[in-house]
Amino acid sequence: MPELQVTKASRFVGFLGLFFLLAVGVLEALVWWGVVPIIWEAAQLVALGLALLCGLVSAAIVTAASAIAWKKAASEARTQSE
């Protein structure tokens, strides 16, 4: 069951990152069309940074879960061989 929770957490953070990337695209379009002032470029950079951070966190969650699963499998294999 913990694997399902890890998958859900990783997906949530991944979709959050996609949301921030979508925000970057929308802000870029609004600045390009002149709807919002150029100062919103700063908000675009913040959204891009958050999207990158979400990607890193999602990868870290999956990597940690994989390491835990490998450790658990190695422990079970050691127990069975004894």
Side-chain angles (χ1 to χ4, degrees), residues 13-71:
V13 174
F15 281 124
L16 192 61
L18 287 176
F19 169 76
F20 286 126
L21 283 178
L22 180 65
V24 168
V26 168
L27 284 171
E28 179 63 30
L30 291 176
V31 169
W32 188 72
W33 287 327
V35 176
V36 294
I38 196 78
I39 193 70
W40 282 93
E41 289 283 337
Q44 184 180 5
L45 291 175
V46 168
L48 184 60
L50 288 172
L52 291 172
L53 182 66
C54 286
L56 289 173
V57 168
S58 180
I61 290 171
V62 171
T63 303
S66 177
I68 291 169
W70 275 99
K71 193 173 187 178

